[in-house]
Amino acid sequence: GSGSSTVTVCVSGGSTCGSIYVTVGGTCYGGSSYCGSGNIWFNPSNPSLYSGQSLAVSINSSVSSGYGYSTYGNYYYVSNNSNSSVVSASVSGSVLNLTANQSGTANITVCSSALNFCGTLTVTVSGGSCGYYGCGNNLSLSQSSVNLNVGQTAYVTASNYSGNLYVSSNSNSSAVSVSISGSQISLYGLGSGSSTVTVCASGSQCGSIYVTVGGYSGGVLTLSQTNVNLAVGQSTYVSATSYLYGSANLYVSQNSNPAAVSATASGNSVYLSALAVGNSNLTICANYSNSCATVYVAVGGGGGLTFSPSSPTVNVGQTISVAINNNYNSYGLVLSSNTNSSVASVSIYGSTLNIYGISGGTTTATICTNNNVQCGSIYITVSGGSGSGLLLSQSSLNLAIGQSSTVSIYGGGYGYGNYYVASNSNSSVASATVTGNSVNVYANYSGFTAIVICQNNASYCGTLNVSVGGGAYNQLRFLTTSLPTMTVGQYYNVNLQASGGNPPYNFSLISGSLPSGLSLSSSGTISGVPQSATTATFYVSVRDNTGQSISATFYIQGLGYSAGSSGGSLSYPGSGGVLGASTYPNGELISEYGTVYIVYKNTKTGFVSAAVFRGLGFSFSNVSEVGNSGLADSGYTIRTANASHPWGSWIKSGQTVYFVHESGLIPVPDWSTFLNNGGQSNMIVSANHYDFTLPILSPMSYNDSRLR
């Protein structure tokens, strides 16, 4: 019968005994040849863990539909854990997640819901503890079990190790290719199958990743988003737009950083919520087609934008303005989404959101800084009444502090009642009272406020925008928010920028200190020749001509001497020759004042964001800070990771390295040819399936003229 039992066998007349733990599944369908615990097995099959260590184990089954039963709706579950105090166990999709609690042994039984087949895994936990460099002699990996489709790439991050990483073994290189850049391990699905990839550090720590590659090409499961940028506290969702058959019924197979992003699947969608600054690689799969796709999520720390008023109401045909509080003033604002554009249209001017009511209903608009560090959503209600709403003789006022003005009220609903101040987004800036058909406004302090006037017993309202002391667009603020890295012995020159208020501006250092060799002028110029690589944090105040002032914190990171010199631009071996007049080899990653570029034939091409940069497999550890390279800009910007790699990239698929040329992919026949043409091992990244939509060109030769 279905259940479990412990059978104890003893020697007659003695005290020597042994026990056998037996699990019996439900009814066995289809004949005895398809029955027994052997139909479910695990990889790894008999894991050994240290106390405090976690491990993801792949659940495998030989059963399939047919033989008088169906696998439709099947899922795996933990039927029994003989010693949960030793190890905790839970199932997510086809992965068994283990957490070692204390030394001992536990037998964990996993069963199939639809077929009543079971399998038992024996887990041994030693009394060792997880130290700074991982658990015992193991590498700490963000994922130990990965599911891929053919043509798909996934990333695993290593931490708490000493030395450099390298691939120790790959049990099935025809199924998956592996490359390493810094602490990031890139896995690329080549063919259907599975492989155990072992990665080690030169400090003798190792870890294994079990990789399963589905036999479908990358287009089987298609998601509405594959690169997501969120601010802390912000949420969004991704949904399936294409899958093999049946209902998508999505589930989250892997989440490399649940501390940064929570991911919850429900039917055809996965809901994402940003918890903390960081990034995560999510593997999302469809239950009934066994197809998967990867979503890269980057979380910034900017928090959310706020609005005044926060939940406005507008009438059909009416326009109101809402103030946007933006802590990242150096970045512009963009409209990210409008859930119901037939209800209201929204547009942005400076730090103001203009809303026009089109038809009765509600909509939510999401506004972000153009670097996606800070976002916020505003809930808008449009009154379904016809007509233009309440009319004001003026929709905006510009006042000086202490000045007052009167605005007349027209329209509204005849006989509905008196007018009143419904809301004032910043009453410290200006106060407002209503007398009869007039709004009396008095300016108190510099700033901006939106005053909403409504009529009693009616839904008619109007908004008066008031700017005091130069207006909402003239407030004193820093435009410069970050400073470039300095190099010892290399001339450093940066101008701090401010706006608003009444120029000219006077800059001064109010606390902290600049790095040795640098000074700040009253006009805001930080310049000099750094004498040490000390990293410095300091505070700067800017004051305008009227005495208004603000302060901000700045940070300069210091580097050692530039390669081969004590000043001037960086230079690299191999310049000249095949590289022509270029100072930097093709494929070099450089940073100029916070923007990262890739070099190709004496030109530079920039990346639009860190998410795109990482999504293409590049690592910031390989970027050189160069100040001003002197290279011409190509005029292009790399805006998405869902494309082939940019010109100048060195990519690897299987055992072959290719150079991404404007005409296609140039295969590199051997390592000597690679080095001769300026290649460097840290430039190589994993290929993606978009790369192979490009033509394959003739192999690279020594001093290949196509790279000049």
Side-chain angles (χ1 to χ4, degrees):
S2 178
S4 61
S5 176
T6 299
V7 179
T8 302
V9 180
C10 298
V11 177
S12 177
S15 60
T16 304
C17 300
S19 295
I20 309 166
Y21 183 78
V22 183
T23 300
V24 181
T27 304
C28 179
Y29 298 99
S32 61
S33 62
Y34 297 96
C35 302
S37 62
N39 288 286
I40 292 180
W41 70 95
F42 307 89
N43 194 315
S45 57
N46 291 289
S48 296
L49 306 176
Y50 290 90
S51 296
Q53 187 181 359
S54 297
L55 179 68
V57 175
S58 175
I59 305 171
N60 304 276
S61 175
S62 62
V63 298
S64 60
S65 59
Y67 305 104
Y69 52 80
S70 169
T71 60
Y72 183 82
N74 178 60
Y75 62 89
Y76 298 111
Y77 64 96
V78 176
S79 171
N80 186 77
N81 184 348
S82 68
N83 199 342
S84 58
S85 64
V86 169
V87 62
S88 302
S90 63
V91 172
S92 175
S94 59
V95 175
L96 176 64
N97 298 301
L98 305 175
T99 301
N101 301 318
Q102 63 183 29
S103 60
T105 301
N107 294 303
I108 299 170
T109 301
V110 175
C111 296
S112 159
S113 64
L115 305 174
N116 298 312
F117 291 119
C118 299
T120 300
L121 177 71
T122 300
V123 183
T124 303
V125 179
S126 72
S129 61
C130 292
Y132 179 77
Y133 290 119
C135 299
N137 202 38
N138 292 311
L139 212 67
S140 293
L141 300 172
S142 60
Q143 299 180 76
S144 56
S145 179
V146 173
N147 292 293
L148 291 172
N149 286 318
V150 173
Q152 186 184 358
T153 302
Y155 305 97
V156 175
T157 303
S159 60
N160 296 339
Y161 62 91
S162 59
N164 297 319
L165 298 179
Y166 64 92
V167 179
S168 174
S169 65
N170 181 355
S171 66
N172 188 355
S173 58
S174 63
V176 62
S177 67
V178 190
S179 63
I180 296 176
S181 177
S183 62
Q184 187 178 74
I185 304 161
S186 300
L187 306 167
Y188 179 73
L190 299 173
S192 179
S194 61
S195 177
T196 298
V197 176
T198 301
V199 176
C200 297
S202 52
S204 300
Q205 296 119 326
C206 295
S208 294
I209 309 165
Y210 184 75
V211 184
T212 302
V213 182
Y216 307 108
S217 62
V220 173
L221 179 63
T222 303
L223 299 174
S224 57
Q225 300 184 75
T226 56
N227 285 279
V228 178
N229 291 280
L230 298 174
V232 173
Q234 188 183 3
S235 299
T236 189
Y237 69 92
V238 296
S239 58
T241 58
S242 176
Y243 39 88
L244 192 62
Y245 59 84
S247 170
N249 197 19
L250 301 180
Y251 66 93
V252 179
S253 174
Q254 298 288 339
N255 182 352
S256 67
N257 191 356
V261 182
S262 71
T264 305
S266 177
N268 199 43
S269 299
V270 174
Y271 295 87
L272 309 176
S273 180
L275 305 177
V277 175
N279 56 71
S280 179
N281 287 293
L282 304 175
T283 301
I284 297 173
C285 301
N287 255 329
Y288 302 137
S289 64
N290 296 318
S291 54
C292 300
T294 299
V295 178
Y296 178 82
V297 184
V299 180
L305 295 172
T306 58
F307 305 89
S308 298
S310 58
S311 299
T313 297
V314 58
N315 290 317
V316 173
Q318 182 187 6
T319 298
I320 67 170
S321 298
V322 172
I324 306 172
N325 175 30
N326 176 15
N327 293 326
Y328 286 71
N329 287 315
S330 61
Y331 295 101
L333 298 172
V334 295
L335 175 64
S336 176
S337 65
N338 180 1
T339 61
N340 196 346
S341 57
S342 64
V343 168
S345 65
V346 293
S347 60
I348 299 170
Y349 180 72
S351 295
T352 299
L353 182 69
N354 297 310
I355 304 170
Y356 175 74
I358 298 174
S359 62
T362 61
T363 185
T364 299
T366 299
I367 315 300
C368 296
T369 54
N370 58 19
N371 64 341
N372 275 319
V373 167
Q374 196 180 31
C375 295
S377 296
I378 181 170
Y379 184 76
I380 302 166
T381 301
V382 178
S383 170
S386 60
S388 59
L390 211 63
L391 299 179
L392 302 173
S393 59
Q394 291 177 259
S395 60
S396 62
L397 287 175
N398 289 284
L399 302 175
I401 294 175
Q403 186 180 1
S404 62
S405 183
T406 300
V407 175
S408 298
I409 308 170
Y410 302 96
Y414 177 75
Y416 276 100
N418 297 326
Y419 304 111
Y420 66 97
V421 177
S423 66
N424 186 345
S425 66
N426 194 345
S427 58
S428 63
V429 169
S431 59
T433 59
V434 173
T435 303
N437 289 359
S438 298
V439 184
N440 307 301
V441 181
Y442 181 80
N444 300 310
Y445 295 101
S446 176
F448 171 83
T449 185
I451 301 170
V452 178
I453 310 299
C454 294
Q455 186 178 24
N456 280 320
N457 306 317
S459 60
Y460 298 111
C461 297
T463 300
L464 176 62
N465 299 307
V466 181
S467 298
V468 178
Y473 311 119
N474 201 32
Q475 297 179 44
L476 183 61
R477 62 184 185 270
F478 273 100
L479 292 179
T480 304
T481 58
S482 62
L483 298 175
T485 301
M486 67 178 186
T487 302
V488 175
Q490 195 174 86
Y491 183 70
Y492 188 89
N493 187 81
V494 176
N495 292 314
L496 299 180
Q497 300 291 325
S499 69
N502 292 279
Y505 307 120
N506 186 283
F507 295 82
S508 60
L509 187 67
I510 57 176
S511 66
S513 59
L514 291 162
S516 174
L518 299 185
S519 62
L520 171 67
S521 71
S522 61
S523 62
T525 299
I526 298 175
S527 61
V529 179
Q531 302 302 307
S532 69
T534 304
T535 296
T537 300
F538 51 94
Y539 303 87
V540 175
S541 171
V542 59
R543 183 179 299 274
D544 72 359
N545 203 33
T546 66
Q548 182 185 2
S549 66
I550 58 170
S551 61
T553 304
F554 291 95
Y555 169 87
I556 296 181
Q557 181 180 2
L559 299 177
Y561 287 93
S562 58
S565 68
S566 61
S569 60
L570 294 173
S571 60
Y572 293 85
S575 61
V578 70
L579 299 177
S582 175
T583 308
Y584 307 97
N586 289 311
E588 181 76 10
L589 298 171
I590 63 174
S591 176
E592 294 183 13
Y593 307 116
T595 299
V596 176
Y597 300 88
I598 187 169
V599 175
Y600 178 66
K601 295 184 179 181
N602 296 329
T603 64
K604 61 185 181 183
T605 301
F607 295 84
V608 73
S609 68
V612 171
F613 180 82
R614 291 193 187 99
L616 288 165
F618 296 108
S619 172
F620 285 111
S621 62
N622 294 324
V623 177
S624 300
E625 177 68 48
V626 301
N628 183 2
S629 68
L631 296 177
D633 196 292
S634 68
Y636 295 97
T637 301
I638 304 163
R639 298 186 177 278
T640 178
N642 298 320
S644 57
H645 283 79
W647 298 347
S649 301
W650 300 87
I651 62 174
K652 184 178 181 181
S653 177
Q655 301 302 311
T656 303
V657 174
Y658 299 84
F659 179 80
V660 182
H661 186 267
E662 67 231 60
S663 301
L665 302 182
I666 302 176
V668 182
D670 53 59
W671 193 251
S672 177
T673 303
F674 171 75
L675 296 175
N676 170 262
N677 284 282
Q680 299 175 24
S681 59
N682 64 348
M683 296 179 180
I684 300 174
V685 296
S686 294
N688 61 38
H689 68 276
Y690 299 102
D691 293 321
F692 294 99
T693 62
L694 303 175
I696 304 296
L697 308 178
S698 59
M700 186 176 291
S701 60
Y702 261 60
N703 296 323
D704 198 313
S705 62
R706 292 172 293 180
L707 275 67
R708 293 193 179 96

